[in-house]
Amino acid sequence: MSTSHVLLGLLAAGNRHGYELKRAHDTRLPRAKPLAFGQVYATLGRLQRDGLVVTAGQEREAGPDRTAYALTDQGRAALAGWLAAVEPPMPYVTSALFTKVAVALLVADLNAARSYLIAQARAHTDRLRELTAVKTAPSTTLDDVVAVDYAVAHLDADLRWLRTTLARVADWHREVHP
Amino acid sequence: MSRLQARDVVRSYGPTPALRGVSLDVADGEIVAVTGPSGCGKSTLLHCLAGILRPDEGAVRWNGERIDTWPEAARSRLRRTEFGVLFQFGQLVPELTAAENVALPLLLAGTGRREAGRAAGEWLDRFGVGHLADVRPGAMSGGQQQRCATARALVTGPRVIFADEPTGALDTLSGEEVLTQLVQLAREQGTTIVLVTHEPRIAAYADREVMLRDGVVDPTGLGLDETLVPLPAAGPGTDPR
Ligand SMILES: Nc1ncnc2c1ncn2[C@@H]1O[C@H](COP(=O)(O)OP(=O)(O)OP(=O)(O)O)[C@@H](O)[C@H]1O
Ligand SMILES: [Mg+2]
């Protein structure tokens, strides 16, 4: 996920200070890892160096949190380009889940791989329930629902994969250790 | 003490065993999902719990009373008052409008016509189908019918809702909307839900999941062959609550 593009997007709505950007980020992407202030300023610094944002007016006691930033034309173009670009749909199959089962079969036995798959399926099921509860909580916002929907769909897909792989892992083990 | 309880319930259809000794305890206000592959006995268990079917062996208790030995008239009264039942295809009465369908359980319970009509309108509104009050089921989409059926299941203020694949006939978004409303209302009013589903995503709306496999509770809780599975921890199905 590209923090710089999110910041460019937030600045498209008008000039903002660093702390406002952090707050807006955490509101619009409620289930993301909250942005650290340091990361906001480091990213703004890079965007400024690349000419995508400029500082726009400073209050007297200048410090990073007193500086407002504005999007440049170049920044606007970069944002539009990013928004229009289709993300490559899973160009590489990389997942900690998949990798762990593969390595477990290499270095440990079949039972270790199975135990891992079962423990992971249980953890996924618990998390699925936890996130689903967010959707039915009375105070839920649409920001939350949309974020949670994304996670639910992916956990659900992972769970299907975990179950299918449990059914295949014995055959897979025989193939790895003929 | 749990309010709803199944103890060693056995039920067959002729020579076909559907339940081979199932025990389940459901606490007040709890939402329990009953899951498992097709034919594992989910619907049979739900029907036994709701007093629709009588087990061949074992006991079903509600408030400590053996309801499985009650005569049909008493069990059917229970289903009009303290229990609400919701099936995959709403099962609305085709000759009646949405409002009449929702008012029906109240009228059967002796509520006056005016009051029943007012309550029906209110429940249809809560499920976003108030504008269909005068429409018959035949002229509604599946999702609209299911919303009406859900309103009908809730209108009498039941203590327990028994729902068998209530979103099975709906697309993902409609299903989630109906279920979210059902769960929100249940939590608000402390209603218990027994929810039958084969989808993990739907089961996740429950507080816990009990998985059946070939007519018994699956101790792995994952629908796996036990002989293949090392059991690292107690599965949800063995929750002793
Ligand atoms: N009316 C019936 N007559 C004969 N056999 C039945 C009847 N109803 C169910 N069965 C059998 O009992 C077993 C359990 O059926 P049940 O309907 O409880 O399963 P289920 O878990 O609800 O399945 P599904 O997910 O397909 O709805 C199955 O083997 C089924 O074929
Ligand atoms: Mg069924």
Side-chain angles (χ1 to χ4, degrees):
Chain A
M1 212 266 311
S2 159
T3 303
S4 40
H5 290 112
V6 178
L7 294 188
L8 291 178
L10 292 170
L11 287 171
N15 303 352
R16 295 193 208 224
H17 298 96
Y19 72 91
E20 289 174 327
L21 287 170
K22 180 219 161 14
R23 270 215 331 249
H25 169 277
D26 295 351
T27 308
R28 287 275 82 87
L29 302 170
R31 300 272 146 186
K33 201 165 139 198
L35 263 190
F37 281 111
Q39 203 185 342
V40 176
Y41 296 119
T43 309
L44 284 170
R46 240 174 300 125
L47 291 171
Q48 190 174 11
R49 181 201 63 200
D50 296 341
L52 303 183
V53 305
V54 288
T55 55
Q58 235 171 48
E59 285 159 42
R60 253 170 300 144
E61 273 142 76
D65 53 331
R66 288 285 174 187
T67 309
Y69 291 83
L71 205 54
T72 62
D73 286 343
Q74 204 185 332
R76 219 168 275 281
L79 178 62
W82 178 72
L83 283 176
V86 169
E87 293 292 323
M90 212 180 266
Y92 302 102
V93 181
T94 54
S95 150
L97 274 57
F98 172 51
T99 308
K100 204 169 276 195
V101 184
V103 173
L105 285 184
L106 277 181
V107 304
D109 61 359
L110 180 56
N111 261 352
R114 273 208 191 107
S115 292
Y116 163 70
L117 285 165
I118 290 166
Q120 189 68 59
R122 293 220 159 99
H124 264 59
T125 306
D126 289 346
R127 182 68 174 147
L128 187 61
R129 180 169 302 127
E130 196 176 293
L131 287 171
T132 302
V134 172
K135 296 215 284 185
T136 58
S139 58
T140 293
T141 62
L142 202 51
D143 277 320
D144 256 327
V145 171
V146 173
V148 165
D149 271 345
Y150 182 84
V152 163
H154 284 78
L155 287 169
D156 189 47
D158 278 354
L159 268 169
R160 282 167 211 268
W161 179 82
L162 286 164
R163 287 179 190 209
T164 314
T165 305
L166 259 165
R168 288 190 169 138
V169 73
D171 289 340
W172 191 12
H173 186 257
R174 269 192 292 279
E175 201 175 286
V176 176
H177 301 279
Chain B
M1 187 201 69
S2 72
R3 287 252 270 172
L4 181 67
Q5 186 184 65
R7 271 289 159 278
D8 304 317
V9 167
V10 173
R11 181 61 155 89
S12 302
Y13 299 92
T16 313
L19 299 175
R20 300 185 291 131
V22 173
S23 296
L24 175 67
D25 287 281
V26 185
D28 237 2
E30 196 179 19
I31 303 181
V32 177
V34 177
T35 63
S38 186
C40 69
K42 303 183 293 293
S43 296
T44 307
L45 177 62
L46 191 88
H47 286 72
C48 286
L49 285 169
I52 299 168
L53 277 180
R54 292 175 75 160
D56 301 330
E57 287 171 44
V60 176
R61 290 193 181 81
W62 166 243
N63 284 333
E65 285 198 60
R66 289 268 316 246
I67 59 168
D68 57 296
T69 56
W70 286 7
E72 168 54 28
R75 283 183 282 124
S76 124
R77 195 176 326 117
L78 187 62
R79 291 197 301 274
R80 286 200 306 268
T81 53
E82 293 187 284
F83 290 180
V85 187
L86 184 60
F87 296 105
Q88 177 170 5
F89 300 99
Q91 297 194 333
L92 298 169
V93 182
E95 294 79 18
L96 301 181
T97 65
E100 288 166 344
N101 263 288
V102 177
L104 190 61
L106 289 175
L107 295 174
L108 289 173
T111 307
R113 203 155 271 283
R114 260 179 90 96
E115 171 56 20
R118 195 196 51 76
E122 222 169 72
W123 279 98
L124 287 171
D125 278 341
R126 293 182 89 157
F127 280 93
V129 283
H131 59 292
L132 299 173
D134 298 323
V135 175
R136 286 188 223 299
M140 294 182 211
S141 75
Q144 290 166 340
Q145 289 183 39
Q146 200 59 355
R147 282 163 209 261
C148 294
T150 311
R152 186 183 57 179
L154 286 163
V155 73
T156 54
R159 303 304 312 141
V160 188
I161 300 270
F162 297 93
D164 196 348
E165 305 273 5
T167 60
L170 306 182
D171 64 79
T172 310
L173 188 57
S174 311
E176 299 224 337
E177 280 172 4
V178 169
L179 211 52
T180 298
Q181 275 165 327
L182 180 64
V183 167
Q184 277 176 344
L185 289 165
R187 296 239 188 264
E188 229 173 87
Q189 307 186 349
T191 314
T192 304
I193 301 182
V194 183
L195 172 68
V196 163
T197 179
H198 63 270
E199 290 179 67
R201 270 176 95 147
I202 300 298
Y205 280 84
D207 301 317
R208 82 188 150 100
E209 185 174 334
V210 173
M211 187 173 276
L212 297 184
R213 192 183 155 83
D214 295 334
V216 293
V217 173
D218 178 350
T220 72
L222 289 168
L224 303 168
D225 184 344
E226 293 137 65
T227 58
L228 291 178
V229 174
L231 284 175
T238 57
D239 184 350
R241 180 152 45 153

